[in-house]
Amino acid sequence: MPDDARLDKAILASPLAIHGLTVSYDHRPVVHSVDFVTPPGSMSAIIGPNGAGKSSLLKAALGITRRLTGDVRVFGRPYAQMTRHVAYVPQRNSVDWDFPARVIDVVVMGLFRDLRWWQFGGRGQRRRAMQALTRVGMEAFAERQIGQLSGGQQQRVFLARALVQEADLTILDEPFAGVDAATETAIVEVLKSLRDEGRTLLCVHHDLATVRDYFDHVLLLNVRRIAAGPVDQAFTEANLQATYGGRLSSVQLARLVEPALAAREH
Amino acid sequence: METWWRALTFTLGYNTSVVTLGAMLLAAGAGMVGTFVLLRKRALVSDAISHATLPGLALAFILVGLTTGDGRYLPALLLGAAASAAIGLWAVQSISDHTRLGEDAAIGAVLSTFFAVGVVLITVIQSMAVVGQSGLTGYLVGATAGMLASEAKLIAACALGLLAAVLVLRRQLLLVCFDADFARTQGLDTGRLDLVLLLLLMAVVVIGLKVTGLILIVALTIIPPVAARFWTDQPMRMVALAALLGALSGYLGVTLSSVREGLPTGPLIVLSAFGLFMVSFLFSPRRGVLASLLAYRRLRRRVHLRQGLLALAREEPIFDDLTLTLLCRRGHIRRDGVATSAGLAAARDADHEERLWALYRERYPDDALHREHAGLVPIHEVLSPDAIMALETQLLGRREVVR
């Protein structure tokens, strides 16, 4: 096949190339044989209905949960060798926010690999953590106990913990879930600035209305891969229909795929 | 009293001093390991481990007793205890992994079964002609009085090793405790780290058998960390503080038990730890009962005063006794309830501030949400003069529009 060489090149360049990934809980596949090559320097969204396996796909790709089959490559190499190149922002409610830690303590956790066991977090570490906090607009909260933060602030702290890693690929699991509008704007700005630095972002995303504004690539997932590619090509009425089944009305669909139409109505 | 003083100052003799130091090191280790176990939300696992030591302990006693005639050989007993604790741990783990039962149910089942086996073995020992049977009860509630210096040194050495291990692993353990998923993406083997944490916990339990006894060792892994939580919000400080509080309870407990022959060490150490916990619980300035009670009273008075002043400004009647008392005490109203001129001025100020806060909440809803008690504290304590000036201007503009 003539495409083979080009495909290999794409996989070598991709910060996360997933091939034939299947995840199953109790003999029921929640993600079935999914291929996805994340384009470098892109901002990609994984979208699909509830239970479509969006988070499971990411967790299995990152080795958090076990995968049944499949191969995951980071710049062409196995993920285990390349963990340094990947930062992960889990769902906000996956941790206990009453944990005895201040904001700065959580951000410094992102630097854990730079510290040997005999070192007691130096000034340099603190400075880098503060820079990341400034970037997400949370520098004034560095000494706060994390339980005192609002949901949006907690999400920003998680983002700062990923920022300090200066990774090539940042994977975010629903970063906009349950945050206020101001935080959403702030997070999108940070993500876009990361992309402008040439880094890659991959988000599980819920809000179909903002897909066009935020992302340039999209993976439509419902257990199986329905479609993937640049938003203009893949985010179509037919593909959304196939992904969401009857869950979207034709009016909703028309608005999503033709933003001009929605704008005229406003 | 005098004996206790001599024990406290390490002048009661070489043996007591070594034993005290050993117990302190052990309790410090227990506090550190316990903090991580507590933060991983598996505090009860230590209960299962400690009860699971009894059968191994008794079996080791029987074997050593049959070969040498005296069962009291500490290293062998500790090894036996460790072996059966490991089996108990494995049982808990496989029950919760392979069945639908939760870890708590598995702990309950394993704990009681192993303890029952141990008690049966102890009755077997009582029917045997082996020396040193009375020493065995010491492993149930702890007995440091008759402890040899060599035994205390063994305990101290193990405890030191434990402290070193926790020091080396502290960052990994913390990461797993806070966010295991994230830890895994960082290339940490969280399954292995959990196992290491349980092994450390097992080491604490086994080493502590002779000091606090197997029933009470669980207290040393839970009470000091919980007490430490009252004093700090920083993870590593909590670990260090738990070690300190643990060591302090060990120190108090062992010295107290050396006052008179036959005083059980374990209960005294645990009671000392409980005393420290009570002090933390009541008097911690951050989360203590007293502090939050005072803060609540302050807040309530502030709200009453504010409401009273606003009522004065709007010329509404005030009926609440506390409000009236507070206003009267500050000279805002006279005893008969009529506002003084100072009171009227204060009321006008409060009303004005209320308007500023309302405007602030309207303009910056997100920021207002994050300010504690926004609207109750004087606005100049929270916002910068510039921000207040801007609000004043807007307020003025709005008033003119109304006119």
Side-chain angles (χ1 to χ4, degrees), chain B residues 187-216:
Chain B
L188 283 180
D189 186 342
T190 53
R192 207 175 60 196
L193 272 170
D194 270 333
L195 187 67
V196 168
L197 185 59
L198 288 184
L199 288 179
L200 288 174
L201 187 64
M202 199 178 89
V204 166
V205 169
V206 171
I207 302 165
L209 282 182
K210 180 91 183 187
V211 181
T212 68
L214 64 90
I215 298 173
L216 291 174

Side-chain angles (χ1 to χ4, degrees), chain A residues 57-144:
Chain A
L57 174 76
L58 285 186
K59 284 188 174 171
L62 290 170
I64 296 169
T65 53
R66 202 196 297 232
R67 54 178 184 255
L68 203 64
T69 62
D71 189 35
V72 177
R73 299 265 157 176
V74 174
F75 295 116
R77 300 172 67 175
Y79 175 72
Q81 301 171 10
M82 304 292 279
T83 51
R84 240 175 201 291
H85 297 266
V86 181
Y88 173 59
V89 180
Q91 284 186 18
R92 186 162 48 83
N93 56 17
S94 65
V95 303
D96 170 17
W97 288 93
D98 198 34
F99 199 84
R102 298 163 306 163
V103 167
I104 187 89
D105 297 320
V106 172
V107 180
V108 167
M109 284 183 199
L111 290 166
F112 124 97
R113 268 185 302 203
D114 298 351
L115 284 169
R116 311 309 315 164
W117 65 264
W118 59 84
Q119 292 174 313
F120 283 85
R123 211 168 285 254
Q125 251 79 30
R126 204 190 144 79
R127 207 191 60 241
R128 282 169 69 188
M130 284 309 289
Q131 280 170 357
L133 278 174
T134 309
R135 205 163 165 182
V136 297
M138 288 285 293
E139 71 278 16
F141 294 87
E143 306 291 328
R144 278 281 180 98

Side-chain angles (χ1 to χ4, degrees), chain A residues 40-60:
Chain A
S42 72
M43 214 164 137
S44 304
I46 301 178
I47 57 174
N50 285 332
K54 304 184 293 288
S55 297
S56 305
L57 174 76
L58 285 186
K59 284 188 174 171

